[in-house]
Structure formats: C-alpha cells, structure tokens
Amino acid sequence: MSTFRNYVNGEFVDAADGRTLQIVDPTTGQAYATSPLSGAADVDAAMASAAGAFETWRDATPSTRQKLLLKIADAVEARADELVDAECRNTGKPRGLTKSEEIGPMVDQIRFFAGAARLLEGKAAGEYMDGMTSIIRREPVGVCAQVAPWNYPMMMAVWKFAPAIAAGNAVVLKPSDTTPASTVLLAEIVGAAIAELELPAGIFNVICGDRETGRLMVEHHTPAMASITGSVRAGIQVAESAAKDVKRVHLELGGKAPVVVFEDADIAEAVEGISVAGFFNAGQDCTAATRVLVHESIHDAFVEALAKAAAETKTGGIDDEDVLYGPLNNANQLAQVSGFIERLPAHAKVEAGGHRVGEVGYFYAPTVVSGLQQDDEIIQNEVFGPVITVQKFTGEDQVVAYANGVDYALASSVWTKDHARAMRMSRHLDFGCVWINTHMQLAAEMPHGGFKKSGYGKDLSSYGFEDYTRIKHVMTAI
C-alpha cells in the first residue's frame, strides 16, 4: 500500500490524529493507498502556514512570481512521466492520452500565468477630480482555500494554484478524497521550486481529506477566498458557508452542454467530433458533449452514425491499446450513471451501450440514448458519464429554447456551415462558452466558466487571473 501525506509549510506530514482514507484503483475496485483524513487541527496548521507566507509573498515583485511559476512549469515538464503514472494509477485514465492531452496544456497554463503575473491591468492614473490624483492598485486577495475535483485531478490543481500564486496569494489546496495522488506529487514539485528560490515555504500547501475537511477549510476564518470545482450541491454549500464571513467565492460547477446540429452540418464530421467530446474521460467533464439536439431532417441518419461510433469506441485499462477512456472514478459514480439508464422513460431508446463493462472496476460502455423529451430526468440533470442523449428539433427558436431550458450554463456548441446562423446562435445560447463546429477545445488565453447553476468566476485567461486579485483606489491631494 502506498501512503500519501499532507504538505504543510514545506514538509510532508500525516493527519494530526492519524486518521486515513483508503484510495481505490478504479480499474480494479481495490484499495492501493491511504491518504490523510485531515481534521480541524490540520486545517489550522495549513492556514497558519499560508497566512505566514502571504505576509512576505504578497510583496514579491511580479518578476519573482513569474520566476517561480516558470521553474514549476519546467519541473512539471521534466517529471511528466511520474505525474502521468500517479494520475493514471489513481484515476484509471489511458496513459498515452493522459500524457498527450494533459501534460502539455498544464505546462502551457502555468507559463501563461507566469506571464500574467507581469501584466497587471487597471485604469490609468490621473486627475479625475480637480486637485486630486487617483491611482489603482491591483493586490492579491490573501490566503485562498481551494478544492479540486476528481475528474482531472492534476490539471484542475494547476487551474487553482497557478493564477492564485501568480497574483501573490498563498494557497491551501485540497484534492478530491478519491484522487490525491498527483496533487501530492505536485506538492513535492512546487515545494522544491519554492525552496530552490528561497521563498516562503507556506506559499503552497496541500491537505487531503473528505467533504468535512473541505467544509472546515471554507469556514475557517483565515482564507479571504474560497474556490471550488465540483458539483452544484457542493458549490451551493461552499457559497452558503463563505457567506457567513463574506468570503469571496469562485465556483466552477456542473454542466449540461447542448450540442446543436443543423441540417447543413457534415454528419460524419459532427459525429466524429461529438463522440470524442462526449465519451472522452468517460464523459466525466462539465463541458462534455452529452446533450445533442439534431434537426429533424437529419435526425435518423445522425443517430445511426452516432450509435455506430459509440459501438466502435473502446474503454479499458491504463495500458490497453486504442482505448479512448478508462473507468468511472468510483463506485458511487458507477451507480449514478447506471441509475440514469435504469430510470429511462418508456419513450426513450438505448441505441448503443447502456450497461457496465466487465465485473471488475467501474467501466461503463459508450452509450447513446434517443427519443427523449425536454423534461426527462436525463436531459435536465448532469449524468457525468459516457452517455450521449439525442433530441430532435424543427427550427432555431425551438432549439434555443431546448438548449437554454436547463439549470446549467457552462458550455455549448453549434454545428453548421451557415456563418450568420452560427453568430445568431452564439448570441442566443446562454452559456459561458460557445464552440462552432468543434467542442471541448481550451486555450490558456481564453476564459472558462459559466452562468446560472454552473457557477461564477473564470478559470484560465487574464479574467481567471484577475479573479484572484482585489482593486484598491488611492487618491491624493495635489
């Protein structure tokens, strides 16, 4: 059994009371490691470490912050194989895809925020009142309590700590209770960079634990900001807890992305792009292409082609060949995905999949369901599994109503050759991102975040960086 430990003030430590959690390999369903089940004493220690470091780190020059992040990026790149091994053992993801699709973007994102550290923006200083000069200061907010999810453990850790550190904040980061492995390794990498530059050790801290640990972090008096990527339920709880002492909150929550396919779309291209974007990472992605809306004139041909693509898509172990995705993350998630299929209404039709794969691990077949109606449970609620639903529509007004007719508003896509139509749809779709003739592509320079119950605040981009800063007006008589 491997043992993961908290990282506090530059040292790896066990939980103060010695409690642990079992970490399960989702390809086998068997425990392979333990991690700390951190309590109040552990949260206190991590927050004290971060608060102490912040007193110095807040005054570090942008070039110093950049230097640290660039060193971290280089180290992540150099230790890519170790990170991939840890991530894949903990999540069951295919090794090759994890290295090619995650390490490069992670390194690029860290380097982007290294650059953002030196590009602080604000209004020009000047005389906006007679006899007075005003300037704007952009400052770090303070200690940030951050909670990362289990679907992309190491990449989401980067999305959390990189902008926060770039802005001059100190971090206490908690990985999901099921996926601490790569985050603990990142702590070693980040800690080594901090030590080499002789910076305060408490800039970056990691504590492992469960929902109670996260609650203790958010409710702690030290953090000035709480950031979470997770479910709507978890986001609401964080917002309620943070409201008690008016903490800033950054929420990236669930999604139910509409994928609108018009009659002029190339069916083969659309099916190829949508099937990958729907099944990648076992559909465990808030932006996954899981809710397809197809024009009635091409509906039947599209469903047939999508079902064929699903049947040809493979799920399997870490080192299996030609595998697009691995298992679902945990037994509860397998039960959730299975439950949606078991509760399908009579008018729904399973065109492909709809069942568990094998008896070992948490694998689920690529699934396509047609014949659905707008108020069906599987249309309104996030499945977070390798399940693509298909509805038909007749015109733009109807499809906009269908697309926007859910509580989520994170991502969407439109598939058409008509540029004017694509522009109209991008205006009317009530989602934080609209892709056109593609889906689930991300750039470090562009913001990621939603509306409604998908949360608020942005990840990536200069907007994500600014979320970790505060604005101060300074006025002086002249």
Side-chain angles (χ1 to χ4, degrees):
M1 294 281 283
S2 299
T3 302
F4 304 125
R5 306 174 79 193
N6 292 337
Y7 187 76
V8 178
N9 203 33
E11 296 182 356
F12 284 100
V13 295
D14 296 321
D17 61 8
R19 292 187 301 161
T20 61
L21 293 166
Q22 286 196 328
I23 306 304
V24 172
D25 180 342
T27 65
T28 64
Q30 301 298 312
Y32 80 98
T34 62
S35 72
L37 177 52
S38 299
D42 306 298
V43 172
D44 284 344
M47 292 300 173
S49 169
F54 176 66
E55 292 305 311
T56 302
W57 184 239
R58 67 187 301 173
D59 295 325
T61 62
S63 63
T64 298
R65 299 174 193 169
Q66 181 187 55
K67 187 174 182 180
L68 172 59
L69 285 165
L70 290 176
K71 187 169 288 292
I72 292 169
D74 290 346
V76 167
E77 197 167 46
R79 299 182 65 177
D81 289 338
E82 293 175 69
L83 283 164
V84 169
D85 286 346
E87 183 84 342
C88 293
R89 180 73 191 277
N90 203 173
T91 64
K93 295 180 183 183
R95 192 184 308 275
L97 276 177
T98 302
K99 186 170 184 178
S100 65
E101 299 299 317
E102 297 193 34
I103 294 294
M106 286 167 52
V107 172
D108 181 62
Q109 289 152 9
I110 297 170
R111 288 175 177 155
F112 170 81
F113 285 115
R118 300 185 74 161
L119 193 62
L120 300 172
E121 294 187 356
K123 290 186 180 298
E127 290 65 54
Y128 297 91
M129 292 182 66
D130 289 340
M132 299 288 175
T133 294
S134 289
I135 62 173
I136 294 293
R137 291 182 57 86
R138 187 176 290 278
E139 301 176 340
V141 297
V143 174
C144 297
Q146 302 183 315
V147 179
W150 46 252
N151 57 338
Y152 293 100
M154 63 181 181
M155 183 177 287
M156 293 302 98
V158 166
W159 286 24
K160 296 295 181 194
F161 81 74
I165 287 177
N169 302 288
V171 167
V172 178
L173 173 65
K174 189 188 88 67
S176 168
D177 56 340
T178 63
T179 55
S182 56
T183 308
V184 171
L185 181 54
L186 277 171
E188 178 185 324
I189 292 170
V190 174
I194 290 171
E196 185 176 343
L197 294 176
E198 299 182 345
L199 298 172
I203 293 170
F204 182 77
N205 305 271
V206 171
I207 56 173
C208 304
D210 59 7
R211 291 177 183 175
E212 176 64 11
T213 311
R215 183 189 67 79
L216 290 169
M217 288 173 56
V218 174
E219 292 186 356
H220 200 277
H221 65 276
T222 296
M225 180 175 180
S227 173
I228 178 175
T229 298
S231 67
V232 173
R233 172 198 52 75
I236 291 172
Q237 291 175 350
V238 166
E240 289 175 341
S241 296
K244 295 174 184 176
D245 53 2
V246 202
K247 284 187 178 71
R248 290 177 65 167
V249 179
H250 183 283
L251 303 176
E252 201 280 278
L253 309 178
K256 195 68 181 175
V259 180
V260 181
V261 183
F262 283 98
E263 66 274 15
D264 64 337
D266 185 303
I267 292 179
E269 289 183 5
V271 164
E272 180 180 3
I274 292 166
S275 62
V276 171
F279 297 135
F280 186 80
N281 201 35
Q284 298 172 127
D285 191 308
C286 298
T287 64
T290 58
R291 183 168 61 107
V292 182
L293 301 156
V294 184
H295 191 270
E296 60 181 358
S297 64
I298 62 168
H299 173 271
D300 292 350
F302 181 91
V303 169
E304 181 181 357
L306 185 61
K308 183 175 183 292
E312 294 171 351
T313 299
K314 296 180 181 180
T315 179
I318 294 170
D319 293 309
D320 288 351
E321 295 183 3
D322 301 322
V323 168
L324 180 64
Y325 67 89
L328 295 168
N329 182 260
N330 54 73
N332 288 340
Q333 192 61 25
L334 175 61
Q336 174 171 305
V337 174
S338 299
F340 272 102
I341 302 302
E342 292 164 2
R343 295 189 301 273
L344 284 173
H347 54 261
K349 181 182 179 183
V350 177
E351 303 280 355
H355 57 81
R356 181 178 182 177
V357 176
E359 297 180 357
V360 175
Y362 310 130
F363 297 93
Y364 202 84
T367 299
V368 176
V369 183
S370 66
L372 294 160
Q373 298 174 5
Q374 183 66 15
D375 59 355
D376 288 336
E377 176 198 30
I378 200 169
I379 295 298
Q380 292 296 319
N381 296 323
E382 187 175 35
V383 179
F384 222 57
V387 178
I388 299 177
T389 63
V390 184
Q391 298 167 265
K392 66 173 64 174
F393 70 89
T394 58
E396 281 188 36
D397 290 344
Q398 183 187 53
V399 78
V400 167
Y402 282 176
N404 293 339
V406 295
D407 288 337
Y408 304 91
L410 181 59
S412 59
S413 64
V414 179
W415 299 74
T416 180
K417 296 175 182 176
D418 186 330
H419 177 74
R421 171 189 279 162
M423 292 298 97
R424 287 195 303 273
M425 291 296 295
S426 67
R427 175 186 174 189
H428 293 299
L429 287 171
D430 189 20
F431 295 83
C433 176
V434 181
W435 288 292
I436 298 172
N437 295 324
T438 188
H439 195 102
M440 219 161 72
Q441 304 298 316
L442 298 170
E445 295 85 354
M446 291 294 109
H448 175 83
F451 315 132
K452 295 159 65 173
K453 286 189 176 179
S454 289
Y456 45 82
K458 298 297 182 183
D459 289 314
L460 303 178
S461 78
S462 61
Y463 302 101
F465 172 72
E466 290 173 1
D467 277 354
Y468 286 94
T469 68
R470 66 183 189 181
I471 304 300
K472 180 185 288 181
H473 171 218
V474 180
M475 180 181 277
T476 180
I478 56 173

